[in-house]
Amino acid sequence: LTFQFKDKVYVADIDEVVVVDINTAKIIEKIPMPDAILLNDVAADARGTIYISDTFSGRVYRIKNQQVDIYIEGLWGPNGLWAEPDRLIVSAANQIFAYNSAKEAVQLGSNFALDIDGITPFKCNGYLVSSWDGMIWFFSKTFSPRSARLLTVSLFLVAIAVESLVVISNFHQLS
């Protein structure tokens, strides 16, 4: 996946992050991630720190001040990332965690029917969380268990217009 920060796009490409200048459309850097197996999602915080999940190694890497390090390890299938000023939100298998700057984790949600894929903020004080099979949940920012709402489960193509965003599910039969 990719993430744009200022005039650069960061692309997770198996075991390295490819940095592309959006003004010239040229690759300006390839940054290897040590012992990476399958890089997946990319996120950036407001200070320009880049976070990259590695689903198979169980790690989240960080690029900060041009230095690469392993920010979090020991996760089961980390995938979706979202960076906020005071925390990094990480989906790992069917759970969602928030890590503060001391790398202390708080579990925000668990026991989803399917493994979580992407996380993105949403205008109405919450997040959209998706799975590979087309399920999309809305969570309030507090992630209370009652705030989770399944938005789409479909056999057919479904489009939901909410606050100028259109969410389209896939064609999979979901149970």
Side-chain angles (χ1 to χ4, degrees):
L1 292 175
T2 65
F3 192 90
Q4 180 180 340
F5 183 77
K6 296 190 178 181
D7 62 346
K8 297 176 184 171
V9 173
Y10 294 82
V11 181
D13 186 18
I14 303 175
D15 61 354
E16 64 186 1
V17 173
V18 179
V19 184
V20 179
D21 182 309
I22 62 171
N23 298 311
T24 64
K26 296 198 184 296
I27 294 172
I28 56 175
E29 189 174 9
K30 291 185 178 185
I31 307 168
M33 299 292 117
D35 301 317
I37 300 172
L38 182 63
L39 298 178
N40 193 322
D41 201 5
V42 181
D45 65 22
R47 296 172 300 281
T49 302
I50 308 297
Y51 301 92
I52 309 97
S53 62
D54 185 337
T55 302
F56 290 168
S57 75
R59 296 183 180 133
V60 174
Y61 291 90
R62 175 176 66 178
I63 305 171
K64 183 176 182 178
N65 300 322
Q66 304 295 335
Q67 300 295 313
V68 174
D69 68 349
I70 297 169
Y71 185 64
I72 304 165
E73 58 186 332
L75 295 170
W76 182 257
N79 194 331
L81 301 173
W82 185 258
E84 296 186 336
D86 59 344
R87 64 186 186 171
L88 177 67
I89 299 174
V90 179
S91 71
N94 68 347
Q95 303 175 77
I96 299 173
F97 298 94
Y99 288 86
N100 64 20
S101 60
K103 301 181 194 178
E104 299 165 328
V106 173
Q107 186 180 57
L108 302 176
S110 64
N111 298 321
F112 288 88
L114 298 165
D115 288 353
I116 299 301
D117 188 20
I119 303 169
T120 192
F122 196 55
K123 290 182 180 181
C124 41
N125 201 28
Y127 303 91
L128 292 178
V129 178
S130 66
S131 71
W132 267 75
D133 286 359
M135 290 184 159
I136 299 170
W137 292 270
F138 170 78
F139 272 97
S140 74
K141 286 220 176 208
T142 60
F143 281 95
S144 67
R146 291 197 171 111
S147 74
R149 290 191 318 218
L150 183 62
L151 294 181
T152 62
V153 179
S154 67
L155 175 60
F156 304 104
L157 185 64
V158 175
I160 299 176
V162 184
E163 301 267 338
S164 303
L165 174 75
V166 176
V167 178
I168 301 173
S169 73
N170 60 24
F171 288 98
H172 291 273
Q173 170 79 36
L174 302 174
S175 54

